[in-house]
Structure formats: structure tokens, C-alpha cells
């Protein structure tokens, strides 16, 4: 809808202004305080009724290494924004704009990919087959599916195919770094 497009554009402008002005993401010396506000669905949960909101405190001492994150989205500004936020959080980022580029990035990655942020609808993929392929190629990686077409069937199908969670677009970009860390911790072998 027009209202969602305006919200998404406003969110992008706020993000770009924050990056250009070098304003910090909410952070203290010992804890990174992250607030997530997104309509989402996690594995094993019922379809969302309303927007979820939670605040998570991650002790900075538990951040042992940067993660390698593959960001797959055909919207250049969103892909760039996600990559910038993740890089500013200390992560390595690989970007792909299509399913073919994502497959090539997975094959050619010099370090293991820890987390994949995957758009549902791409120019050469508009179903869950790419998610299945990513899960098959990267069984130890967390996958977060992003979509503006989050029907209950798509959301449940993504979770059934191994997605950590589904983010409905538009979403708050500032919570993504924390979500990536959370997804990695939840999906890595103990």
C-alpha cells in the first residue's frame, strides 16, 4: 500500500541519514541494546496476530568473531542499507541481487557463510525453492526470509523448510544486526 511504501522510504531515509551523520546505533559499553519491531513468525509459532516487539541485551563480551552474512535482495537500496548496518556491526557481508548470484556467492565464498538474509521474491525466483537450495547447500547456516508477500502459507512453508524466521517488509532496519546474531546463536551446533 502507499502508506507502507511511505513508511519504508522514511525508514530508508532515516537509515541513510544516520549512516551519513555517523550517529551510533543504540549501544553501551558493556551491552548492545537492540529493539526489534517486526511482524514475524518464528519456527513452531502460530501465525502472528499483531506486531511483535522485544528488547534483547547482548553482552558485548560474548561477541567472539564477526559473522559472514549473505544478503540477497534485488532492491539495491535495501541490500546496501542492510550491508552497511551489518558491516558497522563488525560483520563481513556478501551481497547478491538474484538467485543465480546467491548460488554463485555460496559456491565461491572463501569463508563459511553464517547467516543468510534472503528475499522471497527475486527476478529469477519467486517461490521457496531458493530457500530449499540454500538450506541444502548451507545446512549449518541460519536463514532469515524477508518478504512483502508474507501470506500464512508462505510463512509456514519457509519455517517448514528451515528458515529461522520470516520478516515481513517493511521492517525496522536497526534491529537486523541483533537478529543476525540471534539467528546465528540459535542455529549453530552446541
Amino acid at each position: 500500500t502507499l502508506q507502507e511504501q511511505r513508511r519504508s522510504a522514511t525508514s530508508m531515509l532515516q537509515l541513510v541519514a544516520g549512516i551519513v551523520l555517523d550517529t551510533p546505533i543504540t549501544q553501551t559499553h558493556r551491552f548492545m541494546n537492540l529493539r526489534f519491531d517486526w511482524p514475524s513468525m518464528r519456527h513452531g509459532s502460530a501465525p502472528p496476530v499483531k506486531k511483535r516487539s522485544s528488547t534483547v541485551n547482548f553482552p558485548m563480551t560474548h561477541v567472539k568473531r564477526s559473522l559472514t552474512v549473505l544478503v540477497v535482495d534485488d532492491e539495491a537500496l535495501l541490500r546496501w542499507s542492510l550491508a552497511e548496518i551489518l558491516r558497522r556491526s563488525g560483520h563481513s557481508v556478501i551481497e547478491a541481487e538474484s538467485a543465480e548470484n546467491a548460488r554463485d556467492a555460496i559456491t565461491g565464498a572463501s569463508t563459511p557463510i553464517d547467516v543468510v538474509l534472503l528475499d522471497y521474491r527475486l527476478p529469477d525466483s519467486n517461490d521457496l525453492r531458493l530457500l530449499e537450495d540454500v538450506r541444502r547447500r548451507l545446512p549449518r547456516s541460519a536463514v532469515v526470509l524477508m518478504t512483502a508477500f508474507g501470506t500464512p502459507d508462505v510463512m509456514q512453508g519457509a519455517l517448514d523448510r528451515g528458515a529461522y524466521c520470516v520478516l515481513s517488509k517493511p521492517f525496522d532496519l536497526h534491529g537486523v544486526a541483533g537478529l543476525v546474531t540471534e539467528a546465528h546463536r540459535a542455529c549453530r551446533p552446541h
Side-chain angles (χ1 to χ4, degrees), residues 4 9 23 54 76-77 92 96 123 127-128 130 138 141 143 152 160 168 181 183:
E4 289 173 339
T23 56
S54 61
L77 183 58
S92 299
D127 56 27
L128 295 171
L130 179 58
L138 301 171
S141 302
V143 179
D160 291 346
S168 294
T181 302

Side-chain angles (χ1 to χ4, degrees), residues 39-106:
S40 69
M41 186 170 181
R42 294 189 190 281
H43 190 68
S45 66
V49 177
K50 62 180 185 175
K51 191 180 236 185
R52 295 173 55 133
S53 178
S54 61
T55 301
V56 179
N57 293 323
F58 292 113
M60 296 297 283
T61 55
H62 290 142
V63 179
K64 294 184 178 172
R65 67 176 181 88
S66 71
L67 302 176
T68 301
V69 183
L70 173 60
V71 178
V72 184
D73 201 307
D74 59 322
E75 294 178 49
L77 183 58
L78 178 58
R79 188 177 63 248
W80 174 83
S81 299
L82 290 168
E84 281 301 305
I85 285 172
L86 293 168
R87 285 186 185 110
R88 285 179 169 258
S89 296
H91 302 303
S92 299
V93 179
I94 303 167
E95 298 180 46
E97 63 186 23
S98 66
E100 181 182 356
N101 292 144
R103 288 181 181 104
D104 291 345
I106 291 168

Side-chain angles (χ1 to χ4, degrees), residues 85-163:
I85 285 172
L86 293 168
R87 285 186 185 110
R88 285 179 169 258
S89 296
H91 302 303
S92 299
V93 179
I94 303 167
E95 298 180 46
E97 63 186 23
S98 66
E100 181 182 356
N101 292 144
R103 288 181 181 104
D104 291 345
I106 291 168
T107 303
S110 58
T111 60
I113 296 172
D114 299 301
V115 180
V116 179
L117 297 177
L118 178 64
D119 190 18
Y120 171 70
R121 199 168 273 188
L122 297 165
D124 54 349
S125 174
N126 63 357
D127 56 27
L128 295 171
R129 282 183 278 175
L130 179 58
L131 171 63
E132 291 172 346
D133 191 26
V134 169
R135 294 297 302 140
R136 190 176 87 284
R137 292 175 181 223
L138 301 171
R140 295 177 181 227
S141 302
V143 179
V144 175
L145 188 73
M146 306 176 293
T147 182
F149 307 94
T151 66
D153 289 341
V154 167
M155 294 175 116
Q156 190 59 53
L159 296 174
D160 291 346
R161 288 166 176 82

Side-chain angles (χ1 to χ4, degrees), residues 16-36:
V16 171
I19 290 171
V20 170
L21 297 174
D22 201 29
T23 56
I25 296 173
T26 306
Q27 181 173 311
T28 63
H29 290 85
R30 299 189 69 159
F31 288 89
M32 186 181 309
N33 301 313
L34 302 164
R35 182 171 176 81
F36 305 117

